[in-house]
Each structure stands twice: as structure tokens, then as C-alpha cells.
Amino acid sequence: MNPELPFGAPGEEDARERVLSELSSDDYHSGCRFEGVDFSGLPLADHTFEDCVFSSCHFREMSLARVALVSCAIENCELVLVKLENATLNSVDFRKSKLVGVNFTDCNKFGFLPSFDDCLLESVIFYGNSLKKTRFEKSVIRNSDFIETDLREARFDGSSLEGTTFQKCNLERADFRAAFDYSIDPLNNRLSRARFKLPEAQSFLGFLGIEIE
């Protein structure tokens, strides 16, 4: 594929058919740009994408099993109920994207390094993932679960965490100073040198059985 000609660009007669043709001819894709493509139902399993950009694309109720995304940008995209069995997300930047019902638990733990900027994460699960130094910036993380997750030195600048659970997580040196709507049990998570700011940090008091009038 010519990386200078993005799939889905104006003038394409059938971007989806061209993508399907490309997927059929090769399972390694480098330096490609995909715009406005609905990948739902397309056979992406076992494909590798390196230094690729996905813009305004849709991934709905599909399998991304064993897909490798390396140094890729996913911007203005929608990922709904996708399956990530043994998928590799190495230096993947999610920007202005919507992720609903995505379970990152089954991702390949080696090289797992996503970041999220101005995204919506709804009913997303991180269980046993390493998210050390991960950036969650200006994002809405709603009704999601961080369970036994390594979040050391993670940042949540400008992010809302309404209804999100932190359970048995390592939050050492994590930065929540610019986060809001969070509820974190200090007895059930490791918080050494984590950074918080009032009044949001008052949410700790309910877990400690303390009332301040």
C-alpha cells in the first residue's frame, strides 16, 4: 500500500474493499494512514500495524486477537466491545476516541504501553495490567475498573473518574492532583507518595469511617 494515500480519503470508491484487499495480501502494515474506515467484521487477527494512524475509524463487536499495534495513533475512533485476546499495544496513543466495554485484561503484557488523551472510557476493565507512567489526560473514565493494576507514576491530569473502582492497585507516586470525581480506598490500595489535592481527596474519609462537620 502507498502510505501517502490514506484509505478512506475523499475520492475513494470503496475504502472498505481496498482495506480488505490490503489485509488479504499482507499481514504487516507500516506507515499507513486509515481514515473513516469501518473495520467492524474485517479479519484483523494476527496482523501487525507499525507507525500507523487510524483516524475516525470504527471497531465494533469484533476480535482484535493477536493484533499488534506498535507506535500507532488512534484518533477520533470508536472501539465498542472489541476483544483483545493476546493483542499487543506497544506505544499506542488514543486521542479523542471512545472506548466502551473494552477489556484490556487479555492483552499481551509484554510492551503494554497505551496512553489516553481527551478520550471517553466507559465500562473499561484493566485487571493485572502494568500502566506505570501511563497518561490519562483530559479524559472521562466512567464506571470502569482498575483491579490489581500497576499505576505507579501514572497521571490523571484533567480526568474524571466517576464510578471507577481502584482495587488492590499500586498507586505509588501516581498524580491525581488535577483529577476529580474519584473514590479511592486508602486501605485497599498502595498510595505511598501518591499526590492528591483537596477537596477531592476528602473522598478518602468515607472509607476511614471519619466524618468532618
Side-chain angles (χ1 to χ4, degrees), residues 19 21-22 25-26 30 32 37 63 99 106 133 141 170 197:
V19 171
S21 176
E22 171 68 15
S25 63
D26 196 356
S30 177
C32 302
V37 177
S63 175
L99 297 87
D106 294 329
K133 296 185 178 180
I141 308 170
N170 189 341
K197 190 174 181 179

Side-chain angles (χ1 to χ4, degrees), residues 103-153:
N103 188 340
F104 290 94
T105 302
D106 294 329
C107 284
N108 186 346
K109 299 299 188 289
F110 181 76
F112 183 72
L113 188 62
S115 64
F116 304 89
D117 186 359
D118 199 12
C119 291
L120 168 64
L121 286 76
E122 176 85 41
S123 301
V124 167
I125 297 175
F126 294 98
Y127 176 79
N129 294 105
S130 176
L131 292 166
K132 185 178 179 181
K133 296 185 178 180
T134 296
R135 295 181 296 105
F136 297 87
E137 296 188 358
K138 297 177 292 184
S139 294
V140 175
I141 308 170
R142 183 187 301 140
N143 300 324
S144 296
D145 292 313
F146 292 92
I147 303 173
E148 298 182 14
T149 305
D150 185 353
L151 286 160
R152 286 175 293 170
E153 300 181 63

Side-chain angles (χ1 to χ4, degrees), residues 11-110:
E12 293 290 342
E13 294 183 0
D14 194 335
R16 186 178 168 90
E17 286 299 321
R18 290 191 66 242
V19 171
L20 183 58
S21 176
E22 171 68 15
L23 295 176
S24 300
S25 63
D26 196 356
D27 60 4
Y28 176 76
H29 318 276
S30 177
C32 302
R33 182 178 181 89
F34 301 91
E35 292 185 4
V37 177
D38 187 351
F39 283 92
S40 305
L42 293 182
L44 296 183
D46 298 304
H47 283 258
T48 296
F49 299 87
E50 186 170 0
D51 293 316
C52 291
V53 176
F54 298 84
S55 179
S56 301
C57 295
H58 301 278
F59 304 82
R60 300 188 188 94
E61 299 184 45
M62 61 180 297
S63 175
L64 296 178
R66 301 176 302 282
V67 167
L69 299 174
V70 182
S71 300
C72 289
I74 298 178
E75 53 190 30
N76 293 300
C77 291
E78 181 182 67
L79 293 85
V80 178
L81 298 174
V82 298
K83 297 180 180 179
L84 296 171
E85 182 181 359
N86 206 29
T88 297
L89 303 181
N90 190 335
S91 299
V92 177
D93 296 327
F94 292 92
R95 307 167 188 161
K96 299 183 183 296
S97 293
K98 178 180 179 181
L99 297 87
V100 178
V102 178
N103 188 340
F104 290 94
T105 302
D106 294 329
C107 284
N108 186 346
K109 299 299 188 289
F110 181 76

